[in-house]
Amino acid sequence: MKMMMNMGMALLIFVLILMAETMKAEDPYRFFNWNVTYGDIYPLGVKQQGILINGQFPGPQIDAVTNDNVIVSIYNSLDEPFLITWNGIQQRRNSWQDGVYGTNCPIPPGQNFTYILQFKDQIGSFFYFPSLAFHRAAGGYGGISISSRPLIPVPFPPTAGDFTILAGDWFKQNHSDLRAILDGGNDLPFPDGLLINGRGSNGFTFNVDQGKVYRLRISNVGLTKSINFRIQGHKMLLVEVEGTHTLQNTYSSLDIHLGQSYSVLVTADQPPANYYMVVSSRFTSQILTATSILRYSNSPGTFPAPPPGGPTIQIDWSLNQARSIRQNLTASGPRPNPQGSYHYGMVNFTRTIRLANSAPVINGKQRYAVNSVSFIPADTPLKIADYFKISGVFSIGTISDSPTGGGGYLQTSVMGADFRGFAEIVFENSEDTVQSWHIDGHFFFVVGMDGGLWSAASRASYNLRDGISRSTVQVYPKSWTALYVPLDNVGMWNIRSQNWDRQYLGQQFYLRVYSPVNSWRDEYPIPKNAITCGRASGRKTRPL
């Protein structure tokens, strides 16, 4: 009896130790409760209806560490359905949490939905924003900062402060009025101004101490325009782009295109004063400008000079700067190994996909298209229909792998791809405006960009060694941009224009990355709390 009791006690102790080790090994959880409401805002001095999160515009910052589990419970107090997407967060094996209409049913008015995210193997600077109904034009966005895990070296010393800067163009009209303009088949007017962290010129101050170094995480959260960012009298050391440590080049100003995020280090090494931070529009005949203040703690309150000018319509200048942004092959990424250990240039791509943007008029209305297809949402989210095997919602192959050269037509366009493929994707822009493109669920290597027409001969100019890895890339007018993309994330993923009027009017499609193995190893099952809608209304997800 005594021996059995001892054996039982030993077994109990073993189980407790095992449970403790399991709990200790689990990645930390961070919880956020958000109430999404309308509220009055005055970003350009005119009263507007904005979208607030917990009463804030911009919304709350998410600060986390690599591999953290981030639980965001959202209560929709708006009078219409709502979704938030997480720009640049890869959602590994989990497109269920992507927060776009192709993967998620919207949160109905007066209801709640909880996103269960994991920032798996990611570091860097990102942001979130509303993805439905042109809500992005009303606010509802905020910054995401993912720090490296302890003991994993970062290729620069600790900084005295970490600032998030959310900048972009803004309209004085409410989002519903802008949406009505687009629904009527018309172009948006020119933006009324630029914002920095939700405010117009000199509405925001960043306080620094002389001699110290600060990290600035800058994102273009605008709707239609590229911007240039600069700080009076100061240089910027680029250290990170959308989760990738970069070669640490110094810049006087940076072009930041729609949907892109950059991290720079700035040293407060000038005489004590107030200095202008300047954001201005790029490639526009009318130049929009907004300023904030970089204030030294020992400043007498004066400015040494007027705000500095920046580049305006120069494309070659921007192209050369973009080519100079490369990944740091000796720095650790989210894991303790050099970022350059993935030799993308030595992998044979299995498929070439050429994607051409266009602006066709369809049924008498302005639309935008990819390879002649202007996307229209289905009555049921594509991921939900795929899971429940609901036929007639979408078809694979409804967008071609190359431009058709035709006009434009409406279609719920979905492209199929095999898990663990390696694609060459070329964005081709024959228009006179800069385009910006984003791929959900994946990172990609920017291997080349140039003017003119892309051809197989263009591969001779590819950077196959240290091209920057990111999730959003620009395509200059009458130009092309080439990417290498590891298709290593099973799911239904949105490929979209970050020019938000174009996205709204059809310049997007979905990439269904498919694995024949029905295993959690490749993809998580449908969440227990998933909202069902459309033809899937009333369907059960899975047992609690």
Side-chain angles (χ1 to χ4, degrees):
M1 179 69 70
K2 186 175 181 179
M3 180 179 291
M4 291 178 64
M5 290 178 63
N6 289 339
M7 289 177 62
M9 183 62 69
L11 180 61
L12 178 60
I13 292 171
F14 173 76
V15 171
L16 290 173
I17 291 173
L18 185 63
M19 289 175 63
E21 288 299 314
T22 302
M23 291 173 66
K24 187 173 72 173
E26 189 174 14
D27 294 305
Y29 282 76
R30 298 177 189 266
F31 295 90
F32 299 85
N33 291 305
W34 290 355
N35 184 28
V36 180
T37 63
Y38 289 124
D40 293 338
I41 58 175
Y42 302 80
L44 293 176
V46 175
K47 179 180 175 180
Q48 296 178 250
Q49 182 188 67
I51 291 179
L52 313 179
I53 300 179
N54 293 350
Q56 301 177 41
F57 168 63
Q61 171 89 6
I62 293 179
D63 292 314
V65 176
T66 301
N67 286 1
D68 278 358
N69 297 285
V70 176
I71 314 301
V72 186
S73 180
I74 294 179
Y75 188 84
N76 178 16
S77 294
L78 306 183
D79 57 2
E80 55 185 338
F82 184 77
L83 278 176
I84 277 183
T85 191
W86 318 90
N87 200 69
I89 302 301
Q90 291 176 18
Q91 315 289 1
R92 303 298 302 174
R93 299 184 291 166
N94 204 13
S95 63
W96 300 108
Q97 307 295 337
D98 203 29
V100 290
Y101 182 68
T103 58
N104 295 90
C105 292
I107 308 169
Q111 294 191 30
N112 168 269
F113 178 74
T114 298
Y115 289 92
I116 303 173
L117 316 172
Q118 187 184 27
F119 293 166
K120 178 67 174 172
D121 291 334
Q122 286 193 266
I123 58 169
S125 309
F126 310 94
F127 65 95
Y128 61 84
F129 65 90
S131 62
L132 285 182
F134 220 63
H135 286 152
R136 186 169 175 173
Y141 55 75
I144 301 174
S145 166
I146 310 177
S147 301
S148 292
R149 286 175 286 180
L151 304 181
I152 296 180
V154 175
F156 48 86
T159 58
D162 195 312
F163 299 128
T164 293
I165 299 173
L166 304 172
D169 57 350
W170 189 260
F171 296 81
K172 291 180 180 179
Q173 292 164 278
N174 288 339
H175 78 280
S176 53
D177 297 326
L178 297 174
R179 185 171 66 200
I181 291 172
L182 295 174
D183 289 342
N186 300 303
D187 290 328
L188 291 181
F190 191 76
D192 294 297
L194 301 178
L195 301 185
I196 299 174
N197 288 357
R199 302 178 187 177
S201 282
N202 298 338
F204 209 91
T205 298
F206 299 87
N207 294 300
V208 298
D209 294 329
Q210 192 170 25
K212 294 184 178 180
V213 179
Y214 296 83
R215 181 172 184 168
L216 278 56
R217 301 173 186 266
I218 315 156
S219 296
N220 184 343
V221 297
L223 297 171
T224 63
K225 304 302 178 189
S226 299
I227 58 174
N228 180 269
F229 180 85
R230 52 199 180 272
I231 304 176
Q232 184 178 38
H234 294 73
K235 300 292 186 181
M236 297 180 290
L237 186 71
L238 184 65
V239 294
E240 176 256 330
V241 171
E242 294 162 26
T244 300
H245 291 305
T246 65
L247 286 180
Q248 294 184 7
N249 295 327
T250 299
Y251 299 91
S252 298
S253 69
L254 272 173
D255 277 356
I256 305 174
H257 303 276
L258 290 164
Q260 294 184 339
S261 298
Y262 288 79
S263 277
V264 299
L265 301 186
V266 176
T267 303
D269 56 1
Q270 297 301 302
N274 291 348
Y275 294 89
Y276 287 108
M277 282 185 179
V278 185
V279 174
S280 59
S281 60
R282 286 289 268 125
F283 320 115
T284 57
S285 55
Q286 176 186 346
I287 306 301
L288 299 173
T289 301
T291 57
S292 283
I293 299 170
L294 185 75
R295 180 186 178 276
Y296 281 50
S297 57
N298 54 347
S299 167
T302 58
F303 291 88
T312 53
I313 61 172
Q314 304 91 332
I315 292 174
D316 286 347
W317 183 95
S318 188
L319 174 62
N320 289 331
Q321 182 180 87
R323 287 171 172 165
S324 73
I325 298 172
R326 302 186 175 196
Q327 63 173 308
N328 185 339
L329 298 182
T330 63
S332 291
R335 305 185 193 93
N337 64 292
Q339 295 185 139
S341 62
Y342 187 96
H343 296 293
Y344 69 90
M346 300 177 68
V347 180
N348 293 323
F349 53 85
T350 56
R351 182 177 178 183
T352 296
I353 301 170
R354 295 168 50 214
L355 302 172
N357 51 269
S358 60
V361 173
I362 303 174
N363 299 329
K365 293 185 176 182
Q366 178 66 65
R367 297 285 300 185
Y368 297 98
V370 190
N371 287 357
S372 301
V373 187
S374 185
F375 183 87
I376 51 173
D379 59 9
T380 306
L382 310 181
K383 181 65 181 170
I384 299 285
D386 202 25
Y387 175 79
F388 288 115
K389 296 181 171 54
I390 301 172
S391 61
V393 176
F394 71 92
S395 298
I396 301 292
T398 38
I399 181 171
S400 66
D401 278 19
S402 57
T404 64
Y409 59 94
L410 304 175
Q411 179 73 53
T412 303
S413 41
V414 180
M415 182 181 290
D418 293 330
F419 182 41
R420 295 200 176 97
F422 193 77
E424 176 190 41
I425 296 182
V426 183
F427 288 105
E428 302 179 1
N429 178 18
S430 62
E431 298 183 68
D432 292 326
T433 56
V434 177
Q435 308 293 312
S436 186
W437 287 93
H438 178 83
I439 301 179
D440 273 353
H442 295 78
F443 68 91
F444 49 72
F445 299 94
V446 182
V447 295
M449 53 177 63
D450 206 349
L453 300 175
W454 180 88
S455 70
S458 303
R459 295 180 181 131
S461 65
Y462 281 4
N463 175 5
L464 300 182
R465 182 174 181 273
D466 61 355
I468 193 65
S469 169
R470 62 189 315 170
S471 60
T472 303
V473 72
Q474 72 273 22
V475 191
Y476 292 101
K478 309 290 186 183
S479 299
W480 56 266
T481 295
L483 320 172
Y484 278 179
V485 188
L487 300 173
D488 59 355
N489 202 7
V490 173
M492 186 78 69
W493 302 108
N494 190 223
I495 298 181
R496 62 175 176 265
S497 172
Q498 294 280 43
N499 303 62
W500 213 241
D501 52 343
R502 287 175 168 259
Q503 181 273 351
Y504 182 80
L505 292 179
Q507 203 158 85
Q508 59 172 310
F509 67 96
Y510 282 83
L511 183 72
R512 179 179 180 261
V513 180
Y514 175 74
S515 170
V517 180
N518 186 17
S519 167
W520 285 24
R521 181 197 67 188
D522 293 343
E523 184 177 25
Y524 293 138
I526 188 170
K528 298 171 187 176
N529 68 330
I531 300 171
T532 54
C533 59
R535 301 190 207 180
S537 293
R539 301 279 186 115
K540 301 298 183 184
T541 56
R542 57 191 175 98
L544 294 176

